[in-house]
Amino acid sequence: MPEAERDTPCGLHLFWDEAVTAYDFGPGHPMDPTRLALTMRLVEDLGLAAGPGVTVRSAPPAGESTLRLVHTGEYVEAVKHAAAHPEQTDPRHGLGTDDNWAFPAVHTASALIAGQSVAAAEAVWRGEAPHAVNFAGGLHHAMPGKASGFCIYNDPALAIARLLELGAERVAYVDVDVHHGDGVQEAFWNDPRVLTVSLHEHPATLFPQTGWPTETGGPDAPGSAANLPLPAGTGDTGWLRAFHALVPELLAAFRPQVLVTQHGADTHVEDPLAHLAVTVDAQRLIAEELHELAHRLTGGRWVATGGGGYAVVDVVPRTWTHLVATAAGRPVDPATETPDSWRAEVHRRTRGPAPLRMTDGARPVWRDFDEGYDPADRLDQAILASRRAVFPHHGLLA
């Protein structure tokens, strides 16, 4: 949609607090907080943080009453206990496990990240800014009573719960992480006010082994969940085709008042923990499409979070910087060279090289699903299965 046609001009609250980098499971863990620091530095060095309409903010940690909008009191106490006794394991609550190591800041850092996403939701709902980004967030696997998949507190779910508490009647959540957004789906499985949409690698080949097309919501909320599992090896063309075959039409039928999105960068071909083959260029296009959908469907109300992404230098900072630039209404030309100052920071922190440009050199294109599909193609089979499972609940033809 051209800028002149938008009802709400772009304005962005970017939530950042250096202390979120204390969300650190320790050396050797894939969730390296260096990716957060390098993202913010790239945002700053490209001049985005000081750009027109952009406000960089911090928010306090989520308090216990806020955390209990999604998580049980018993679980919150278990996280606090893990912080005080990180040497102990608590498999019942998923703490001290192979994925979710305990560490002294496990409660405070997790609550701080959650607080940024909740404050982002409040700012958007109250009209302080049309868009808000917390790229440190997106911890979508945490369950009400259990840590899971490197996620302690489920900040996207908490942001949505806060929106509902403030009076929102229809919230759409779109998750493009390579892993299924299982924790957010679980939190709102039987709530017709929330539509959760997840595009992810097929559960047969990747954690958390959920997100099948047949998962479409609880008995009181049929059609409130939509899942599109993608075959391993899916690249830009297939990923974009799948997104456009499911998301825009479904969101238009649901008519959300707010859009909450999760932008895990682990769909990338270089990510070490998954098996898709997407580029930074396609990830940028998806951010742009979700931005336009927010303007088209929600009056611009858009809360965006980060998520997974374990190519700490080469992928995550560029992908999330494109997300911030898109939300600010100041998209970065993919051909832009990364600043010398940022490359120096990468070397200082990692002793390794930095990517030279804001692009992988790809020019992604895709063919619209409604123009025809191949019944023998595994991707088209997955798209059709998802549409057939959820579209009828929204009065749409599969």
Side-chain angles (χ1 to χ4, degrees):
M1 184 184 301
E3 190 79 28
E5 296 179 12
R6 291 177 178 156
D7 293 331
T8 305
C10 284
L12 170 65
H13 281 189
L14 173 59
F15 283 84
W16 173 252
D17 187 320
E18 192 75 29
V20 299
T21 60
Y23 192 84
D24 185 357
F25 291 102
H29 194 283
M31 186 75 95
D32 186 342
T34 300
R35 68 197 191 124
L36 303 179
L38 288 178
T39 298
M40 191 60 193
R41 181 63 183 269
L42 185 55
V43 167
E44 291 171 338
D45 288 1
L46 285 171
L48 295 169
V54 177
T55 301
V56 179
R57 290 183 51 186
S58 179
E64 287 202 26
S65 62
T66 297
L67 293 173
R68 292 186 188 195
L69 291 174
V70 168
H71 297 289
T72 66
E74 179 185 2
Y75 175 61
V76 174
E77 291 305 312
V79 175
K80 291 180 178 180
H81 181 83
H85 304 281
E87 74 285 354
Q88 298 179 5
T89 61
D90 182 3
R92 186 164 68 94
H93 293 107
L95 298 164
T97 63
D98 288 345
D99 280 353
N100 310 302
W101 308 350
F103 55 97
V106 66
H107 169 71
T108 55
S110 302
L112 180 62
I113 291 172
Q116 311 307 301
S117 289
V118 169
E122 292 172 345
V124 166
W125 183 253
R126 291 168 175 162
E128 297 171 16
H131 311 328
V133 172
N134 174 27
F135 58 74
L139 305 178
H140 60 167
H141 293 308
M143 294 292 176
K146 188 173 184 179
S148 179
F150 314 160
C151 304
I152 305 299
Y153 294 138
N154 195 319
D155 64 284
L158 287 163
I160 294 168
R162 180 60 175 144
L163 287 167
L164 298 176
E165 189 176 54
L166 290 171
E169 297 176 347
R170 294 182 308 282
V171 180
Y173 172 75
V174 178
D175 188 318
V176 295
D177 194 289
V178 78
H179 302 91
H180 177 226
D182 57 338
V184 183
Q185 177 179 286
E186 173 70 17
F188 304 104
W189 177 252
N190 204 33
D191 192 333
R193 298 173 297 174
V194 181
L195 172 67
T196 64
V197 184
S198 180
L199 278 73
H200 47 267
E201 185 178 328
H202 199 283
T205 56
L206 194 67
F207 174 90
Q209 284 80 51
T210 59
W212 301 83
T214 50
E215 298 172 29
T216 58
D220 298 327
S224 65
N227 289 288
L228 207 171
L230 305 170
T234 298
D236 288 356
T237 299
W239 195 57
L240 292 166
R241 177 174 170 82
F243 178 92
H244 286 276
L246 183 72
V247 177
E249 194 170 356
L250 191 56
L251 261 58
F254 183 68
R255 298 180 297 109
Q257 297 166 298
V258 188
L259 178 62
V260 179
T261 58
Q262 198 268 19
H263 297 259
D266 43 9
T267 52
H268 196 273
V269 63
E270 294 181 12
D271 195 90
L273 299 188
H275 315 99
L276 297 190
V278 172
T279 67
V280 165
D281 301 281
Q283 292 172 335
R284 176 181 59 82
L285 291 177
I286 290 294
E288 289 180 353
E289 179 63 23
L290 288 165
H291 180 213
E292 298 302 337
L293 285 169
H295 278 287
R296 191 184 316 157
L297 301 174
T298 70
R301 287 185 288 269
W302 180 30
V303 178
T305 67
Y310 310 100
V312 171
V313 173
D314 289 344
V315 177
V316 174
R318 291 185 297 155
T319 293
W320 290 348
T321 296
H322 278 303
L323 172 63
V324 171
T326 297
R330 297 181 62 208
V332 173
D333 185 335
T336 300
E337 292 188 357
T338 54
D340 289 341
S341 55
W342 183 72
R343 295 181 205 170
E345 180 69 6
V346 168
H347 185 266
R348 186 185 73 80
R349 286 179 175 271
T350 70
R351 293 296 182 261
L356 301 181
R357 288 180 174 81
M358 294 296 292
T359 177
D360 286 336
R363 296 175 179 261
V365 295
W366 71 95
R367 185 169 59 90
D368 194 278
F369 188 76
D370 290 333
E371 293 177 2
Y373 66 94
D374 180 356
D377 182 81
R378 288 192 304 151
L379 175 68
D380 281 3
Q381 290 170 1
I383 293 171
L384 190 58
S386 295
R387 287 167 58 118
R388 284 177 171 170
V390 74
F391 271 22
H393 292 293
H394 296 271
L396 301 171
L397 296 175

